[in-house]
Amino acid sequence: MLKFAYLIILFPFIGFLINGLLGRRQIPKRWVGYIACGAVFLSFLLSVWIFVELNGDIGKYEGMPGVRVSEGGRSVEVEAYEWVPSMKVMGGERSLRIGMNLQIDPLSSVMVIVVSLVGFLIHVYSIGYMWEEGGYYRYFAFLNLFMGMMLTLVLAGNFAMMFIGWEGVGLCSYLLIGFFFEKEWCADAGRKAFIVNRIGDFGFMIGLLLIVVVFGTLDISDVMGMIGSGEAGGIEITLIGILLFIGAIGKSAQIPLYVWLPDAMAGPTPVSALIHAATMVTAGVYMVSRCAVLYVHAPAALTIVAVIGGLTAIYAASIGLMQNDIKKVLAYSTVSQLGYMFLGAGVAAFGAAIFHLMTHAFFKALLFLGSGSVIHGRKGEQDIRKMGGLKRHMPVTHVTFLLGALAIAGIPGFSGFFSKEEILFRTYVSNKVLWLVGLAAAGMTAFYMMRLVYLTFYGKARFDEEEQHVHEAPRVMTYPLVILAIFSVIVGYVGIPKVLSPGKDINYFEHYLEPSFEAHEVAAGMGGEKIHEGEDEVSAGVELMLMVVAVIIAIVGIYIAWEMYLKRPGLPGRVAGRFMSLYRLISNKYWVDELYDAVIVQPYYFLCRRSFDFDTWVIDGTVNGVRHLTVGLSHLSSFNDKWVVDGMVNILGYGIKGSSWVFRKVQTGLVQSYATVIILGTFILLSIFLIFI
C-alpha cells in the first residue's frame, strides 16, 4: 500500500469537493457529517496500514517505478507524477525538477496517524456541536480541506509540496476562524490570523528561494543529504535555518508572532481543537524536526530555536495564570506547550519534541472539546468566574477534562509526564538556564490548569442552576472525549525513559523515530557531538532527581491553585491587591496587543490614511485638474473654432454669396434682359440729360 500513500491526502479532498459542491442542496444534512467523517477515517485506516507496512519488509518496493527506497533506513519516497519538468537554474549550472512526491518514514508515519486520528474524533464531535449552526455543509467542507492540506504538509517529499500544505492550512484557518463571518469580531480574528501568518510565511518563502540558490533542488532528502555529507555549509545554512524558523514562529505562534492564536478562539470550538491539537500550530515543530540535519549543522539557528521556545513557554504560561475565558486559558496553554516543543528541538532533542507534540495532540484536543462541552451546556457562557459546580451536571465532561488537565500538568502516570520530562532532561544537559525556565513554566502550567478545573467544575455554582438547566453533552460529543481521555493517559507509555526501566530500554518511540534523525547523528561531526556532549555523563540518580524536582514543582502549583480557588476563595483578591502592579501587567497580557496596536497597527493605519489622502488629493487631484483643464481648453477651442474661425469664414461666405446674388441678377445671359437694361439705362441717362441740361 505504500505506493498508494497519496490516497491519505486524496480522501479528505474528495470529501471537501462532495460537501462543498453538493452539500447545500443535494445531500441530506446528516450525510454531510458522515461523508466528512468517513473521508478522514479512511485516511486514518490507510495511515495505520502504511505504518504497519513500513515496519515490515520494504525492500520489495526497490526498483518499482515511482518509488525510491532509502539505503538501510525505513524511508520510502513515492512520486505521484512529475509536477515541474526539469529546467535549468542558477545560470544553467543546475537542473531543477519538482515532482509530487511523498516521503514516508517513521516521522511522517507517526504524524499522519496522530493528525488523522485526532482529526477524525474532532469531526465526529462536530456533528453534535455544529448541528444547530448555519452553514453546516460549509463547515465540514472546510474541515476536510484543512485535513487534506495538513496531510499534504506532513507527507511532502519536497519543500514545494510542503509550502502548498503550509499555505493551505493558513487559508483554511482563515476560513474556519472567521466561520461566523457575520460577526465582525470573528471576521477580524480570521483576518488577524491570516495577516500575522503572512509575515512568518514571507521568511519561510525567502528561505525556500535560498535553498534553490544554494542547493539547486527542493527535494528534502537531497538537501539534507548534501548538508550531511558536507557538500554545503557555512553562513548560508544558518541563514536558511533562521528564515525557515521565522515561518515556524508565525505558524506555531511563538514570540513575537503569537498574538493571532488567542484571538483564533472566535471560531467554533472544534476548530480550536483541530488547530491547537494536531494540525496548523504543530506544523512549525514538524518542519524544524524534518530539517533536523540542517539545524544540527547550524548551531546558531538551533540556539535561536531553543531560546525563542523557552521564552515563549514561560511567557505564555504566565499570561495563562490570570485568564478568565475558558478557551483563552487553553489558547495560551497551547502557545506555552509549543514553546516546550521548540525548546526540545532547539537542544537537538527532535524525538522528544515530536513525542510531546503527539501527547499534546491528544490531551489538548480533549481539553478543547471538553471546554466546548461546557460552553454547550452553559448556553455559550465562557467566563469561568460564572461557572462552578459543573461536575454534578456534566460527569463525563468533568472526569475526562480532569484527566486531560493532569496530563498537561505533567503528573506521573499520564502521557504529558513522559514527554515533558524528556524535554526537561535534554534541556538540562544542554543549558541549565533554559532548564530553569522550562521548570518554572511547568509549575505555572499545573497551577493555571487546575485553577481552570476548580473554577469550572468544583465549589458552589456561581449561576442560577434552576434557571440554566445545565446538562451533559450528547453521546456523539462525549464518546470522542472518552477516547481522547484514554489516549491522554496511555499514549505516553510508548516513550518511557530508560531511567524508569532499569535493565532494559523500552523507550519504543525514541527508537522508532531514530531512522528519521539518524542522518544528523551520523553527520554529527560538525555540531551534533557538541550538542549532545555531556548527555551520557549525567547519572541516573541526577536524572531521577530532576524528574522528582519537576513533579514537586507541578504538585506545588496544583496545591497553590487548590488553596486559592477552593479552600480560601478570597485569597486571590488579596494577593492581587498586594501585588497590584504585577497583577495588572499580567492580566493585561503585558499590554503587548496594545503595544502592537500603538507601534505597528496605528502607524500602519496612519500611513494608510495618509496614502489614501495623497492618492485622493494629490494623484487623483492632479489627474482631475488636468482633466478639467483639458475639458476647459477644449470648450474654449470649440468656441473659437465655432464662433471665431467658422464665423469669419461664414461671414465671408455669406458676403460673397450676397454679392454674387446681385451679379447673378445682372449676369442672367438673356439678351432680352440685357436689351431691357440698356434701354432702361439709356432712358435714365437721357432723362438726366434733358432735366439738367
Side-chain angles (χ1 to χ4, degrees):
M1 291 298 292
L2 283 174
K3 61 181 180 180
F4 298 115
Y6 56 85
L7 291 175
I8 296 176
I9 300 172
L10 198 59
F11 287 136
F13 281 132
I14 293 173
F16 159 70
L17 290 175
I18 293 175
N19 280 332
L21 297 175
L22 307 174
R24 185 175 185 182
R25 299 184 186 280
Q26 280 77 13
I27 301 176
K29 187 174 182 179
R30 185 174 297 277
W31 278 96
V32 168
Y34 293 163
I35 290 170
C37 294
V40 180
F41 187 64
L42 287 175
S43 294
F44 169 67
L45 290 180
L46 191 54
S47 300
V48 173
W49 193 329
I50 286 175
F51 174 83
V52 174
E53 201 166 21
L54 188 65
N55 289 280
D57 178 22
I58 61 172
K60 60 186 178 183
Y61 289 100
E62 289 185 7
M64 188 175 291
V67 178
R68 184 172 69 172
V69 181
S70 68
E71 296 180 4
R74 292 199 306 274
S75 178
V76 178
E77 282 195 44
V78 180
E79 182 170 309
Y81 67 92
E82 186 181 59
W83 182 12
V84 178
S86 180
M87 60 181 181
K88 296 293 183 183
V89 296
M90 300 171 63
E93 294 181 6
R94 290 186 178 178
S95 179
L96 176 65
R97 177 184 177 277
I98 302 175
M100 297 293 286
N101 56 320
L102 310 180
Q103 184 169 3
I104 304 161
D105 65 349
L107 177 59
S108 61
S109 67
V110 167
M111 283 295 295
V112 291
I113 289 177
V114 172
V115 171
S116 57
L117 175 58
V118 175
F120 168 69
L121 294 173
I122 293 172
H123 273 64
V124 173
Y125 179 94
S126 297
I127 292 176
Y129 192 87
M130 296 297 292
W131 185 257
E132 302 294 335
E133 301 290 346
Y136 192 75
Y137 80 96
R138 182 164 53 90
Y139 171 82
F140 278 104
F142 289 163
L143 223 54
N144 270 180
L145 181 62
F146 200 125
M147 291 297 299
M149 288 299 180
M150 185 63 196
L151 291 169
T152 301
L153 189 156
V154 170
L155 287 172
N158 58 60
F159 285 107
M161 276 192 67
M162 181 181 282
F163 187 68
I164 291 175
W166 191 271
E167 291 300 313
V169 294
L171 171 64
C172 294
S173 69
Y174 165 71
L175 296 172
L176 286 168
I177 293 171
F179 182 76
F180 300 120
F181 59 86
E182 65 277 5
K183 301 174 183 176
E184 188 175 355
W185 61 282
C186 294
D188 286 344
R191 281 194 291 269
K192 187 175 183 179
F194 190 78
I195 292 170
V196 174
N197 270 277
R198 296 290 75 72
I199 297 172
D201 291 352
F202 180 74
F204 188 76
M205 195 162 51
I206 299 298
L208 297 190
L209 293 175
L210 195 54
I211 287 175
V212 173
V213 172
V214 174
F215 299 100
T217 178
L218 287 172
D219 188 277
I220 296 174
S221 298
D222 292 344
V223 170
M224 299 306 147
M226 281 189 265
I227 297 173
S229 62
E231 292 182 34
I235 189 65
E236 296 92 349
I237 305 301
T238 301
L239 188 56
I240 291 172
I242 294 173
L243 288 169
L244 294 181
F245 183 59
I246 290 174
I249 287 175
K251 198 66 70 184
S252 296
Q254 297 293 285
I255 292 175
L257 300 179
Y258 69 94
V259 291
W260 67 271
L261 193 57
D263 286 1
M265 298 300 99
T269 301
V271 170
S272 304
L274 190 62
I275 292 176
H276 285 244
T279 55
M280 181 174 171
V281 298
T282 61
V285 181
Y286 173 76
M287 184 274 294
V288 170
S289 300
R290 173 58 77 196
C291 300
V293 178
L294 186 151
Y295 281 98
V296 167
H297 286 75
L302 203 60
T303 301
I304 292 174
V305 173
V307 171
I308 293 292
L311 291 178
T312 304
I314 192 168
Y315 173 79
S318 68
I319 297 177
L321 296 174
M322 298 182 186
Q323 293 299 303
N324 295 313
D325 185 308
I326 186 171
K327 290 175 67 176
K328 286 286 182 71
V329 176
L330 297 178
Y332 282 105
S333 165
T334 299
V335 177
S336 177
Q337 296 303 308
L338 289 167
Y340 263 110
M341 297 173 207
F342 280 114
L343 181 60
V347 296
F350 300 103
I354 295 298
F355 187 26
H356 195 54
L357 186 157
M358 181 180 71
T359 60
H360 177 265
F362 289 106
F363 54 67
K364 186 49 64 70
L366 168 63
L367 291 168
F368 263 110
L369 296 186
S371 72
S373 180
V374 170
I375 295 168
H376 185 266
R378 284 299 322 278
K379 306 289 191 298
E381 181 59 67
Q382 296 185 200
D383 193 334
I384 56 178
R385 293 170 299 183
K386 300 177 183 177
M387 297 183 185
L390 290 183
K391 73 173 185 177
R392 297 188 296 276
H393 306 284
M394 312 179 75
V396 177
T397 302
H398 159 242
V399 173
T400 54
F401 197 93
L402 179 61
L403 293 176
L406 293 173
I408 195 174
I411 299 302
F414 296 87
S415 60
F417 165 76
F418 299 104
S419 56
K420 193 176 290 185
E421 291 306 318
E422 189 76 9
I423 289 177
L424 287 175
F425 170 66
R426 297 296 180 91
T427 305
Y428 175 83
V429 173
S430 179
N431 189 307
K432 305 294 187 296
V433 175
L434 288 176
W435 172 76
L436 285 173
V437 170
L439 195 64
M444 293 181 183
T445 303
F447 173 83
Y448 67 67
M449 284 310 305
M450 294 314 294
R451 170 181 178 263
L452 180 61
V453 171
Y454 293 148
L455 288 176
T456 304
F457 295 101
Y458 292 85
K460 294 181 180 179
R462 294 179 292 280
F463 60 93
D464 190 336
E465 292 183 88
E466 294 183 0
E467 183 180 338
Q468 290 286 325
H469 301 295
V470 179
H471 56 82
E472 183 60 277
R475 284 180 293 182
V476 71
M477 293 169 63
T478 54
Y479 284 173
L481 294 180
V482 173
I483 296 172
L484 286 169
I486 293 171
F487 276 103
S488 297
V489 175
I490 67 172
V491 76
Y493 288 90
V494 301
I496 298 175
K498 189 176 180 180
V499 71
L500 294 181
S501 57
K504 53 184 177 180
D505 189 355
I506 56 175
N507 193 338
Y508 301 117
F509 191 82
E510 182 179 3
H511 296 315
Y512 178 70
L513 288 182
E514 276 175 357
S516 295
F517 305 129
E518 64 184 2
H520 86 263
E521 297 290 349
V522 172
M526 292 183 65
E529 288 176 353
K530 184 178 180 181
I531 289 170
H532 292 287
E533 187 178 12
E535 196 167 286
D536 296 333
E537 298 174 4
V538 178
S539 67
V542 173
E543 187 174 352
L544 280 173
M545 183 197 70
L546 296 174
M547 204 172 284
V548 170
V549 169
V551 172
I552 290 174
I553 291 290
I555 292 174
V556 168
I558 293 173
Y559 172 76
I560 295 174
W562 175 78
E563 188 77 20
M564 294 180 71
Y565 295 98
L566 278 184
K567 189 177 180 181
R568 293 192 286 173
L571 186 57
R574 293 197 295 275
V575 173
R578 185 167 185 179
F579 303 98
M580 184 53 70
S581 299
L582 182 62
Y583 172 77
R584 286 177 178 169
L585 178 66
I586 299 177
S587 61
N588 286 287
K589 299 170 287 186
Y590 300 92
W591 286 291
V592 170
D593 282 335
E594 289 78 4
L595 181 65
Y596 278 10
D597 186 66
V599 175
I600 298 175
V601 178
Q602 292 306 324
Y604 177 73
Y605 284 163
F606 175 80
L607 287 175
C608 290
R609 285 191 289 270
R610 296 293 78 81
S611 298
F612 176 79
D613 292 341
F614 181 79
D615 183 58
T616 301
W617 298 107
V618 178
I619 304 298
D620 287 357
T622 303
V623 172
N624 291 335
V626 171
R627 178 178 68 87
H628 290 307
L629 180 63
T630 304
V631 171
L633 289 175
S634 66
H635 283 302
L636 183 62
S637 176
S638 174
F639 178 84
N640 178 67
D641 184 57
K642 184 176 181 180
W643 296 106
V644 178
V645 178
D646 288 357
M648 293 176 65
V649 172
N650 289 336
I651 289 173
L652 181 61
Y654 287 132
I656 294 175
K657 184 178 179 181
S659 60
S660 68
W661 179 81
V662 176
F663 290 110
R664 283 203 309 273
K665 296 303 179 184
V666 176
Q667 298 296 328
T668 62
L670 297 174
V671 177
Q672 296 87 338
S673 299
Y674 296 153
T676 302
V677 171
I678 292 172
I679 293 172
L680 183 60
T682 303
F683 175 76
I684 293 172
L685 290 174
L686 186 60
S687 297
I688 295 171
F689 180 79
L690 290 177
I691 293 172
F692 294 100
I693 301 177

